[in-house]
Every structure is written in structure tokens, then in C-alpha cells.
Amino acid sequence: EPALAGDVAAADRAYARLLAAGDHPVGILRAIQRRLDLIGEAHAGGGPAAAQRFGAPRYGPSQAIFGRQVEIWRTAGLEAAREAALDTERAVKTTGSPAESLVGDLILKLAVRAARRRAAVFSARNTSCPNSWPSDWEKSLDFSLISEVLLCIFYLHYVLL
């Protein structure tokens, strides 16, 4: 959930917790793919309420997070995220591939994309965005560089330690 909501730090922590608990990266990847499919159903069927028929959260904080994810991930971005997840699945199924690193890379990329989209959605509404940067910082940040730095940190933390 945090990756598709744009919370990079929480996504990284959640992934580390899942791996420490013994979850397999392929299972985590499939959960991400299911969530992307639910978001697609929400867009196709008329919103988050329509996606509840397919298993979307119905109550509480999870429902609010899902609603924000639906808002953040629009058609073109959603299709790009689905394609990235499918490419990651293909790469993970290759013999000898570093599944933890590949899935972690996907999670960080999706989280950074969602953070950018979230900032755009909230700035378009002229409302405050929780956990967002000031707008003058947004203009000067190079997200591809940030993504690369985060991936290097992730690699050093999870692969080398």
C-alpha cells in the first residue's frame, strides 16, 4: 500500500518487514499486481466503490488509502505501472535472478512515481498534500537521480548486509 500511495520511506520499511517475516518477493510482487488491477477496476467501473466488488477495502484507513491510490494512478500511469510489474515478474522468473533486489527496485520506482503524481494531484487542487515537499523544492529535484540514489541505498542495505 505505501508504494502505490507515494510514501517512499514507508514502502521501503514495509518491504524490509515483509522480507524479514519470510515473505517471498514473488508473493509481494503479485500483491502489488493485484492492487494495480483493483485500481484499474475502480477506473473501469466507476470509482473505488465499484472496485469493492473485486475485493477493494470497504472500511477504515485502508479504504481511504485505496481512494488516494485510485486518484494518484490514472490510465497512462497505471498502465506503465502494470507493465513495469510485468517486466519485473519476467525478470524474477529468470534463473538466478536477484528477486529481492528486482522487486525492491520496482517498489521504489512505483513509490517515487506515485509521490510525483500525488504532488501533482494535490497541487492541482491547491490543497495541502501530506508528506509532500514544498513546491519550490519539487521544481528543482531530479527524481531520476533520487531514484538512483535510493536504489543504491536499497542495494547496499539488503544485498550486501
Side-chain angles (χ1 to χ4, degrees), residues 14 66 78 84 90 105 137 140 150:
F66 181 71
L78 179 61
R90 286 184 192 124
D105 177 47
W137 285 24
S140 66
L150 288 172

Side-chain angles (χ1 to χ4, degrees), residues 2 9-23 28 158:
D12 184 42
R13 286 191 306 269
Y15 185 55
R17 273 195 313 271
L18 290 170
L19 291 176
D23 287 359
I28 297 167
Y158 293 105

Side-chain angles (χ1 to χ4, degrees), residues 91-99 102:
V92 165
K93 290 180 178 178
T94 303
T95 302
S97 66
L102 291 170

Side-chain angles (χ1 to χ4, degrees), residues 134-149:
S135 60
D136 56 334
W137 285 24
E138 286 175 349
K139 295 174 187 171
S140 66
L141 287 176
D142 180 1
F143 283 99
S144 62
L145 177 64
I146 292 171
S147 177
E148 291 300 317
V149 169

